[in-house]
Amino acid sequence: MQRIGVFVCHCGSNISATVDVEKVAQMSLLEPGVVHAEDYQYMCSEAGQARITEAVKEKKLTGIVVCSCSPRMHETTFRNAAERAGINPYMVEIANIREHCSWIHKNIEEGTEKAIILARAAIAKVTLNAPLKPGESRVTKRALVIGGGIAGIQTALDIAEAGYEVDIVEKTPSIGGRMSQLDKTFPTLDCSACILTPKMVEASAHDKINIYTYSEVDQVSGFVGDFTVDIRKKARSINMDKCTGCGVCSEKCPSKKISSEFNRGLGKRSAVYTPFAQAIPNVPVIDRENCIKFKTGKCGICEKVCQAGAVDYTQEDEIITEKYGAIVVATGFDTIKLDDFDEYAYNQSKDVITSLELERVMNAAGPTKGHLERLSDGKAPKNMVFIQCVGSRDVTCRGKVYCSKICCMYTAKHAMLIRDKYPDVNVTVFYIDVRTPGKNFDEFYRRAVEEYGVNYVKGQVGKVAPQANGQLLVQAVDLLDNKQILMEADMVVLATAIEPEAGVRKIATMLTASIDTNNFLTEAHPKLRPVESPTAGVFLSGVCQGPKDIPETVAQAGSAAVKAIGLLAKEKLMTNPCTAKSDELLCNGCSTCANVCPYGAITYEDREVNDHGIREVRRIAVVNNALCQGCGACTVTCPSGAMDLQGFSNRQIIAEVDAICR
Amino acid sequence: MSHGKSQTQKMKEITGVDPYKCMKCGKCSATCPLFNEMDIKPHQFVSYVLNEDIDALVNSKSLWKCLSCFACIERCPRNVKPGKLIDGARQLVVRQRGADYLTPEDIPERLDPELPQQLLVSAFRRYRR
Amino acid sequence: MQELVKRASELLADGSVARVLGWKAGDLPYNPEPAYFENEEQLRSFVYNGFCGANLSKYMIEASKLEGKTLVFLKPCDTYSFNQLMKEYRVDREKAWIIGVGCRGKLDIEAVKRSGIKGIESISEEDGELKIKTLYGDHSISYAEAMLERCHSCKGKEHRVYDELIGESEETNDSERFAGVTEIEAMSPEEKFAYFQKELSKCIRCNACRNVCPACSCRKCVFDSNKFDSAQKANTDSFEEKMFHIIRAFHVAGRCTDCGECSRVCPEGIPLHLFNRKFMKDIDELYGEFRAGEDAETKGPLTDFTFEDAEPGVVAERG
Amino acid sequence: MYKIKTENLTALFQKIAGHQELYLPVRNAGQVNYANWSDEAEVDLNVLNTVKSPKDAFFPQSENLYTCKRDGKKITIEPEQLKSQNFVIFGMRSCDLKGVEVLDKVFLEDPLDTFYAARRDHGTIVAMACNEPEETCFCKAFGIDAAEPNADVATWMAGAELYWEPLTEKGEALTEMVRELLDDGSEEAVEEMKTNIRRIIAKLPYSDLSMDGWNGEVLDEKFNSELWDELYKPCLACGTCTFVCPTCQCYDIKDYDTGNGVQRYRCWDSCMYSDFTMMAHGNNRTNQMQRFRQRFMHKLVYFPANNDGMYSCVGCGRCVAKCPSSLNIVKVVKAFQNQGGEQ
Amino acid sequence: MSITAKTEFKPKIVAFCCNWCSYAGADLAGSSRLSYPADVKIIRVPCSCRVNPMFVLRAFEKGADGVILCGCHPGDCHYSTGNYYTRRRMTLLFSMLDYIGVEQGRTRVEWVSAAEGVKFSTTMNEFVEKIHSLGENVRLGDLRCRN
């Protein structure tokens, strides 16, 4: 039996004005298990706390009920006091007789009666409390960043600068990501490569950063502070230590007609290739699917021309297993497929391109060496049409319901750059809304209109029809003029919706990080924890969490890094002791609880149990205390009641219910 | 006004269109082949329903210009489907002309052996909605 | 039936299975019992007839713990239960050799007796009629009239999981599955209350409904354990009847395959399926059509959600 | 011998109920069980077996023993009042009467169960002969005569008349109470009924069921038989057989927290339940086979061993009709017989 | 003439509030001095998804006249998804209670954020009023708890 002490606070007159605190103490004494009750002016004061510690010692209390303000205010204060007095801090319960009683009731009789009942409920609960101890888990001082775009690079750099080891896993042959494909960046119009390349170099040169390119995450196990990850290094067929990056192999490779991923299919590359000139590492890979040697066994030219002897056709995929304390997901995005949008004739005309393709066209290292020209006939365009919201804000199955956020700004950028470089080209932008929140963003858009004479028309395009003369007939509407527009264009640029990179679902599943219906990773709290995933120890950086532009991505990368650093800086993690616990004798092993656990904290083990003499191996739910956050979803879904929540157990809550309804 | 209100209600029932879903992108008007012939433009249909001015729709030229090509329905990114509103307005007209409903009992006397079965079914569908 | 025995003997003989789970002839015309057979000799008492209503899926929980495979005969609707049990890791597919048997509706001796027939000596079937000889004269009753409640809302003749199929099945669905639920929903609160009070006051808490239920496969039921201070052995107060049946139905909501065993075994003839079907109907209406046990993968409706789910206030809004 | 026209039965019930509580078979939501008589009650005397046996009248499924009340830290205890009003239970069959005899052996022996004894003292039993026995009946195997119900009052339903014969003092008293409604009846009609009933009983499928080999002496042999391992397998461990049984007498004692105190009550238990005889150390029957065996050993071996050979099965056939897995005591008895035959 | 004093009906109402939103919302109602009847007693749970239907029935068993659950708004759950499960569970439970003839108004779920002190207080006022109009809970209680 517990020996319970009840401490009723006056809170000056905040409580005592509408609650007869003496009576609450008196009545509490009549409850089973209560051996001490007193009231005091300010229970939270030094003197008040001292009364608690004294009473604990004198009356040998095992449980404490404080009738005072909200537990959100002083629960920690009283738990600490209990600990000082030598009893477990979780043997304290608070009856909230201020916010939930004295402050809302005027009649002293009513207030007192309710306070007595609230005290009674807290007493009933504490009777069933058990000492709880926060668990501890160790922290591996190493972080993993999945994705080597600007988000991943920035996060890695920030973590490395704080002195922790970081590994970047990038699935393509080089880091750099989408940003390396861009020509200029808004709203300053500086060259993307000029600001990105130094970061790439810095990352590759950093002694705390280790980059795995052409690699993917294969498997993840463990939990916050102690993840174990298998990384698959795909066979590059080039020995990275020997290769000097001279490029002769690519030059001599006879298989040159392969569509270049980096140039969005607008250019060609060879079978042994580096995606772009500034690639890091500057080591080519052999694309085995297209390599003649791998397809037919003949050729082998690259091996012959390589003076360093770096070509190695026998290389195999390699699995590297590494431990991490924190994982940052920075998997980025791609543009959506346009196959279903046949009204824009994207698949019919080479002169209808996506904005990302335009970036390549405008780039000096791109397929047209930076000349703006039609891809069908190489002619300089006279009239260009930009169409906004292609697949964005679209609730049908073709598109995405969300706003892709970056299109308004990059379209303004493209329009401006074209008008700047080719003043005789007419640029028309069809938009639904122009969204420019951001520093210097609206100014930027207005400059495109006011200084560069870009023609913005409010209204969607209904149809783009390729004409026999090679022109594109654009049928649109000007909603402000209430007129339908028919105009010829030489080129049409589609501001295509962006979506999370295809592999992210697989990664999210491995990490048990939740993902929304659009495949964006979910944040732990949309406002207060935007860079953390609900899965402890997993952080989000960049577009994998939601559409964002470069400055925002970099900002988020930094804050994800800070969160990771905050975790890595800890020697040990204290875990919340109010976690779920499965009773192995009652557990059916049915997996229903794991289905509702948002943290992937529940796993199953085949374990031998002794059920009152029956020994058998059973499938049993096991809760990982480091992962469990104590929401209790599992406890309700468990039909046998095997799963319970410590600190808020079934019997504790029922005791409160009973005490209130008595 | 109350007339307008009940008409609007009827319109929404017949068509199942939720005009609040419209984001006013104009795709319907951009895509409409008969845009220039219409007095009320496709993207405006929604506003008339929102403003509970069904009479204007019913009395518009557009009502009988629409080809029912359904391009606007096909392309609408918000599933508003303005073309359905035209269809709905037409039905209101049909119903107003009396003989609001077709009942199964009416069928035998109207039955012409030459009549294709499909026509009967679709007529039934239309006039019974 | 001979085909079933023949195949079972073959599989026993060649060692493919270690035992057979089926039905054994009873000592009255209508009481075959679930039974294990381990050799041809034992198979002589094997029977498969209209009264083999028992769903053998749940027995596979224990059979999964035995050495070797168990051949089990499952009717189309029993396979839903097997799937659901598989989904919950309660049975081991590897340990089961499932022969899907034909079914054209199973009989309910209570339905026969309800029609006033007593003192039954023998039952035979002719052209969809049951010919019943009794101590008090001969009677006949149509097959459909004597069918179990569940067969009137048959799930269809398709086996959802099996290794092989023997025999033909017929769909015996001749009434709307949710008709009973709809009828009650249309009542006033007072009528609803009176209806259930009357039905549930018969409950003797024998737990037959629970113990026969393939979804109630808990090692220890909350009503037998003190986890919630909820152990009950008798309905000492009318509240306890309701508590038991509401919670039981809630615990199997989204998992119940509507196999109808609860209503079949209730000694007091309480239409227990009306609880389960209420949840099914609500789930279908609010969260989309769902049939537990159709496969062993789909997430159950109570361990799933959408952002647009109805608010609990919908109960009042529906009136 | 008296008789009463069946059309006057309602008047009879009204009369009895005017003086005492009256329990009799009543149809409620499709099922017939013993219940308190009222004007609205749909009495059904044609049903042979009520779902639950009438043992409730003497040994209810749950009954309060005492109540503790808490006032602050003071606790008071109020024992439950014993039954002090007379009552009549109408329509019991011979098998169920025998069931009461079995219960008497348990509850009226030392130490006396005062709750049960009070009910027995105050209860008057009016029994009915079974004019239409059913295929599940096997009372004959236990020497019970369904044609000759031996209670305070015996009755026979013959066509449009109910014959009424008081057999005890209590029965005489009750007859006196309702005398004005009764006419004199002849023995012959009743004798014909009896012959008729016995003739049907002889034709029942279980009429040749023999209890040979079941007695108090065969404890070890039966207990250790390997047959149990097979027999129990279809058992679902529900309590249907025990709860419909007229002789099962096991009960559990439980506390209910009312918020301001505790009610201590007892309720039927079932040897089929996994927590049957659960004690602090655990359970001495750890598997269903043992629990299953317990039921039949108790009825056919332990009970006769302690009660001069009296079985605690009365052949009412309720378990035969109600077991969800179609298991029952007859199948058990036959299984042992067959095994004996084979040896 | 005898006058029997009819004792005033004082409903017993149990409110389960999630720790992160609704409990804080109730705190805010308190610090803003937004009153609601003292019949409401709050039980703190980590998340609305911790509330087992058994708790709701238990409250009625022991004599509660109304039970209300408050949690974070959908989408704002501290544990991301808890209240979505609550929503389904309670919808089904309430529907079942309605089905067996328990008055609809005795149970309610309301989403109350930490900033919605006003909503908390209005909700509780409304709910208590509703329970007053329904009167004492006689359909879902255990009679043994009545004396």
Side-chain angles (χ1 to χ4, degrees), chain C residues 19-307:
Chain C
R19 68 196 67 75
V20 174
L21 179 53
W23 301 269
K24 187 168 117 186
D27 56 354
L28 293 172
Y30 54 78
N31 69 348
E33 67 192 62
Y36 289 98
F37 306 86
E38 285 176 356
N39 53 49
E40 219 177 324
E41 161 72 26
Q42 290 173 353
L43 275 169
R44 256 185 252 159
S45 57
F46 178 93
V47 71
Y48 181 62
N49 61 28
F51 288 102
C52 295
N55 176 353
L56 302 178
S57 299
K58 194 177 186 183
Y59 289 97
M60 288 306 293
I61 297 177
E62 286 305 312
S64 293
K65 297 178 189 165
L66 305 174
E67 288 262 320
K69 284 200 183 204
T70 303
L71 189 171
V72 59
F73 293 105
L74 297 180
K75 302 184 287 292
C77 72
D78 303 342
T79 59
Y80 286 77
S81 310
F82 190 89
N83 259 343
Q84 184 64 26
L85 285 164
M86 233 177 8
K87 182 157 142 188
E88 293 167 9
Y89 301 89
R90 304 291 278 128
V91 295
D92 188 348
R93 182 69 181 88
E94 299 302 308
K95 289 287 193 71
W97 187 298
I98 302 172
I99 294 187
V101 290
C103 175
R104 47 188 207 86
K106 291 295 156 204
L107 298 167
D108 181 5
I109 191 62
E110 293 295 328
V112 173
K113 290 184 173 176
R114 255 199 314 277
S115 73
I117 297 172
K118 51 170 117 179
I120 298 170
E121 290 181 304
S122 73
I123 302 178
S124 61
E125 198 202 330
E126 273 170 46
D127 308 328
E129 286 281 313
L130 295 181
K131 303 284 178 198
I132 303 170
K133 275 200 178 17
T134 81
L135 293 162
Y136 309 105
D138 293 350
H139 299 267
S140 95
I141 178 172
S142 78
Y143 194 93
E145 206 181 326
M147 268 187 330
L148 286 161
E149 196 287 332
R150 66 160 177 245
C151 299
H152 293 290
S153 44
C154 171
K155 283 191 280 287
K157 52 187 182 182
E158 195 185 330
H159 289 82
R160 291 284 162 178
V161 56
Y162 59 88
D163 292 299
E164 53 186 294
L165 295 176
I166 297 179
E168 290 291 302
S169 294
E170 272 170 38
E171 202 159 305
T172 57
N173 199 353
D174 59 7
S175 69
E176 211 280 302
R177 183 156 75 114
F178 294 128
V181 177
T182 315
E183 206 174 300
I184 295 168
E185 284 172 343
M187 294 180 185
S188 72
E190 289 70 29
E191 289 166 336
K192 288 174 181 168
F193 187 74
Y195 175 80
F196 281 108
Q197 184 89 327
K198 197 170 165 130
E199 285 294 345
L200 292 183
S201 65
K202 294 184 295 179
C203 173
I204 58 173
R205 278 305 289 280
C206 64
N207 292 320
C209 51
R210 179 190 79 185
N211 290 16
V212 80
C213 174
C216 272
S217 61
C218 286
R219 295 184 203 282
K220 199 171 185 66
C221 174
V222 280
F223 288 102
D224 287 349
S225 87
N226 253 329
K227 271 278 158 176
F228 292 82
D229 274 332
S230 54
Q232 298 170 0
K233 260 189 188 155
N235 297 322
T236 303
D237 185 274
S238 74
F239 171 81
E240 293 186 331
E241 300 151 2
K242 299 188 193 97
M243 174 85 168
F244 176 75
H245 291 290
I246 294 173
I247 292 297
R248 202 184 88 74
F250 191 86
H251 280 181
V252 303
R255 303 166 54 234
C256 168
T257 63
D258 203 10
C259 77
E261 286 284 88
C262 47
S263 293
R264 175 179 73 87
V265 303
C266 179
E268 290 279 12
I270 303 170
L272 294 162
H273 59 275
L274 289 176
F275 284 96
N276 303 323
R277 288 208 189 135
K278 168 64 178 165
F279 279 137
M280 282 175 220
K281 182 167 178 278
D282 280 348
I283 286 168
D284 280 1
E285 284 172 4
L286 296 168
Y287 312 125
E289 295 258 333
F290 178 81
R291 191 125 219 187
E294 260 181 352
D295 59 59
E297 292 83 34
T298 314
K299 256 189 169 189
L302 275 168
T303 56
D304 202 2
F305 61 84
T306 70
F307 299 129

Side-chain angles (χ1 to χ4, degrees), chain A residues 355-376:
Chain A
S355 300
L356 194 51
E357 287 161 12
L358 182 65
E359 292 285 350
R360 295 313 305 148
V361 169
M362 308 270 285
N363 191 285
T368 62
K369 310 263 178 306
H371 297 297
L372 180 65
E373 57 189 46
R374 282 158 52 103
L375 294 165
S376 57

